[in-house]
Amino acid sequence: MSRRPYVGRFAPTPSGYLHFGSLVAALASYLDARAVGGRWLVRMEDLDPPREVPGAQAAILTTLEAYGFEWDGPVLRQSERLDAYRAVIAQWLASGLAYACDCSRKQLEGSGGLYPGHCRNRGLPATDAAIRIRVPELDYRFVDRVQGEFRQHLGRAVGDFVIQRRDGLIAYQLAVVMDDALQGMTDVVRGADLLDSTPRQLYLQELLGHPAPRYLHVPLLIQPDGHKLGKSYRSPPLPPEQAGALLVRALRTLGQPTRAELAEEAPAKVLAWGVAHWDAALIPRVPHLAEAQLPA
Ligand code: GLU
Ligand code: ZN
């Protein structure tokens, strides 16, 4: 079977500025796409207005430009897709695949993230309630291009999961699957913090009849205290004047070859070098990299 022509994406959430960890993810997806002459899109995952930092959307795009990234076509904003997400949720509610849940955070405490199914058969009205999707008692598996085989039993490890929050906000899991399909994504390259979201996404793809993309999860950068880089405190925007040097550092983090003089070059030159030398097989095959282990 011949593969569809490569389409990849970078899908930042504007809950903060671009930080070094997100630069590594952006770079990996960009190089993986461009190395095979593929398309590369940027999608703004702005599903959560209360958590959005004002100005972050524009700042992210400005930083990407300053770092030499060029994307194909307009930026898709998830905030413009709410009707489509809601239509699918309404359909699943009508068919009984999805159901309303009014469990409080307190009621769900102690179940370790696994939903115990309390509201499964209660037939609650879908107002002032979260909406959950029923999951099958099945293993979902895929072979990640860097992390290898990953499998998760949805019933035992996750349980029926939220697709719309009680406050009406659409869950990331649903939006990402619908948009990756809409945009014809063949390849998802992103941080390894989303490795264990992938089985849920495979399940939603199956429900929606969408083909599964290939996956490549790059190591997540963690701070010495074990926190994900850029999440435990608000990182400032990446400095445009250090674009060359930080891109070279991101290349090294991805295990790619570099040259000493490269750090002095314009960002577009560094990206062109990265495209010409890209080898996904060199990416460290670990889910986490501590900042202390990173090349300087
Ligand atoms: N918006 C997500 C994030 O910033 C990434 C989603 C994805 O790549 O699937 O963490
Ligand atoms: Zn419930």
Side-chain angles (χ1 to χ4, degrees):
M1 200 179 77
S2 70
R3 289 199 61 81
R4 295 175 286 156
Y6 191 114
V7 186
R9 84 309 195 269
F10 177 55
T13 303
S15 57
Y17 300 114
L18 221 57
H19 51 84
F20 185 69
S22 39
L23 178 67
V24 170
L27 181 64
S29 67
Y30 181 84
L31 297 181
D32 199 55
R34 297 302 197 213
V36 294
R39 286 163 50 77
W40 186 73
L41 314 180
V42 172
R43 182 171 70 227
M44 203 50 79
E45 304 216 312
D46 54 347
L47 284 173
D48 194 344
R51 286 193 47 215
E52 186 161 335
V53 171
Q57 292 205 19
I60 288 169
L61 297 177
T62 303
T63 301
L64 286 174
E65 274 169 4
Y67 278 62
F69 292 97
E70 288 178 359
W71 51 93
D72 297 306
V75 172
L76 179 71
R77 289 191 165 71
Q78 293 192 321
S79 56
E80 294 160 7
R81 295 261 299 142
L82 300 178
D83 289 347
Y85 309 140
R86 289 188 183 125
V88 166
I89 293 169
Q91 202 183 314
W92 286 344
L93 276 170
S95 71
L97 201 52
Y99 61 88
C101 160
D102 68 357
C103 291
S104 63
R105 197 160 295 178
K106 194 152 186 73
Q107 270 173 290
L108 298 178
E109 251 169 37
S111 48
L114 174 72
Y115 180 64
H118 185 56
C119 301
R120 255 198 158 189
N121 301 311
R122 289 176 70 208
L124 293 174
T127 48
D128 191 26
I131 308 298
R132 291 182 183 273
I133 186 91
R134 291 176 204 274
V135 301
E137 293 296 322
L138 287 177
D139 243 3
Y140 278 75
R141 75 173 280 283
F142 66 103
V143 179
D144 189 88
R145 290 169 58 204
V146 164
Q147 309 293 339
E149 174 167 36
F150 188 86
R151 56 169 71 227
Q152 188 181 57
H153 190 280
L154 280 188
R156 284 200 292 270
V158 179
D160 300 342
F161 60 91
V162 171
I163 52 174
Q164 183 178 312
R165 285 174 14 184
R166 190 173 192 151
D167 57 14
L169 296 184
I170 306 295
Y172 153 74
Q173 307 291 357
L174 176 62
V176 77
V177 165
M178 288 182 60
D179 291 350
D180 281 343
L182 177 79
Q183 299 187 287
M185 246 28 108
T186 61
D187 287 79
V188 168
V189 176
R190 61 187 178 189
D193 52 328
L194 294 167
L195 203 51
D196 69 358
S197 284
T198 308
R200 268 170 280 182
Q201 296 174 13
L202 294 174
Y203 168 54
L204 294 178
Q205 285 154 11
E206 186 181 283
L207 287 181
L208 291 163
H210 298 318
R214 295 193 302 171
Y215 288 96
L216 189 166
H217 286 87
V218 299
L220 187 68
L221 306 185
I222 50 174
Q223 293 163 355
D225 62 6
H227 283 99
K228 176 176 165 179
L229 197 67
K231 288 285 168 170
S232 55
Y233 54 81
R234 200 154 277 181
S235 334
L238 292 171
E241 66 282 0
Q242 284 183 42
L246 287 177
L247 282 169
V248 168
R249 189 163 184 242
L251 276 177
R252 290 210 191 98
T253 302
L254 291 165
Q256 304 300 305
T258 58
R259 285 187 291 127
E261 320 83 76
L262 212 51
E264 316 298 325
E265 301 274 14
K269 281 267 174 61
V270 183
L271 292 181
W273 163 278
V275 169
H277 295 85
W278 177 245
D279 183 357
L282 298 175
I283 300 171
R285 299 183 170 269
V286 292
H288 301 105
L289 274 180
E291 227 188 342
Q293 297 168 257
L294 296 187

Short mmCIF file of all heavy atoms in Angstrom, two decimals, residues 101-103 108 115 118-119 122 132, ligand 2:
data_model
loop_
_atom_site.label_atom_id
_atom_site.label_comp_id
_atom_site.label_asym_id
_atom_site.label_seq_id
_atom_site.Cartn_x
_atom_site.Cartn_y
_atom_site.Cartn_z
N CYS A 101 -22.15 12.82 33.05
CA CYS A 101 -21.57 12.42 34.34
C CYS A 101 -21.51 13.65 35.23
O CYS A 101 -20.96 14.67 34.82
CB CYS A 101 -20.17 11.85 34.10
SG CYS A 101 -19.08 11.82 35.54
N ASP A 102 -22.10 13.53 36.40
CA ASP A 102 -22.04 14.69 37.30
C ASP A 102 -21.18 14.42 38.53
O ASP A 102 -21.32 15.09 39.55
CB ASP A 102 -23.46 15.15 37.68
CG ASP A 102 -24.17 14.13 38.57
OD1 ASP A 102 -23.58 13.05 38.84
OD2 ASP A 102 -25.31 14.41 38.99
N CYS A 103 -20.32 13.44 38.42
CA CYS A 103 -19.42 13.14 39.55
C CYS A 103 -18.57 14.36 39.89
O CYS A 103 -18.05 15.02 38.99
CB CYS A 103 -18.48 11.99 39.20
SG CYS A 103 -19.28 10.40 39.05
N LEU A 108 -14.39 11.39 42.63
CA LEU A 108 -13.47 10.63 41.77
C LEU A 108 -12.10 10.47 42.42
O LEU A 108 -11.24 9.77 41.90
CB LEU A 108 -13.33 11.32 40.41
CG LEU A 108 -14.63 11.41 39.61
CD1 LEU A 108 -14.41 12.15 38.30
CD2 LEU A 108 -15.21 10.03 39.35
N TYR A 115 -11.72 6.19 35.65
CA TYR A 115 -13.11 6.50 35.97
C TYR A 115 -13.86 5.22 36.35
O TYR A 115 -13.92 4.27 35.56
CB TYR A 115 -13.79 7.19 34.79
CG TYR A 115 -15.23 7.53 35.09
CD1 TYR A 115 -15.54 8.44 36.10
CD2 TYR A 115 -16.28 6.91 34.41
CE1 TYR A 115 -16.86 8.74 36.39
CE2 TYR A 115 -17.60 7.21 34.71
CZ TYR A 115 -17.88 8.12 35.70
OH TYR A 115 -19.18 8.41 36.01
N HIS A 118 -19.32 5.25 37.51
CA HIS A 118 -20.47 5.54 38.37
C HIS A 118 -21.73 5.96 37.60
O HIS A 118 -22.83 5.52 37.90
CB HIS A 118 -20.05 6.62 39.37
CG HIS A 118 -21.09 6.94 40.39
ND1 HIS A 118 -21.64 5.97 41.20
CD2 HIS A 118 -21.70 8.10 40.71
CE1 HIS A 118 -22.55 6.53 41.99
NE2 HIS A 118 -22.61 7.82 41.71
N CYS A 119 -21.57 6.82 36.58
CA CYS A 119 -22.74 7.39 35.89
C CYS A 119 -23.12 6.64 34.61
O CYS A 119 -24.03 7.06 33.89
CB CYS A 119 -22.49 8.87 35.56
SG CYS A 119 -22.15 9.84 37.03
N ARG A 122 -26.83 5.77 34.46
CA ARG A 122 -27.76 6.61 35.21
C ARG A 122 -28.70 7.40 34.30
O ARG A 122 -29.70 7.93 34.77
CB ARG A 122 -26.99 7.55 36.14
CG ARG A 122 -26.36 6.81 37.33
CD ARG A 122 -25.52 7.75 38.19
NE ARG A 122 -26.33 8.70 38.93
CZ ARG A 122 -25.90 9.91 39.31
NH1 ARG A 122 -24.67 10.31 39.00
NH2 ARG A 122 -26.70 10.72 39.97
N ARG A 132 -18.95 11.86 28.94
CA ARG A 132 -17.92 10.81 28.82
C ARG A 132 -18.25 9.87 27.67
O ARG A 132 -19.41 9.62 27.37
CB ARG A 132 -17.84 9.99 30.12
CG ARG A 132 -17.29 10.76 31.29
CD ARG A 132 -17.18 9.90 32.54
NE ARG A 132 -16.71 10.69 33.66
CZ ARG A 132 -15.42 10.90 33.95
NH1 ARG A 132 -14.47 10.30 33.24
NH2 ARG A 132 -15.08 11.68 34.96
ZN ZN B 2 -19.92 10.18 36.96
#
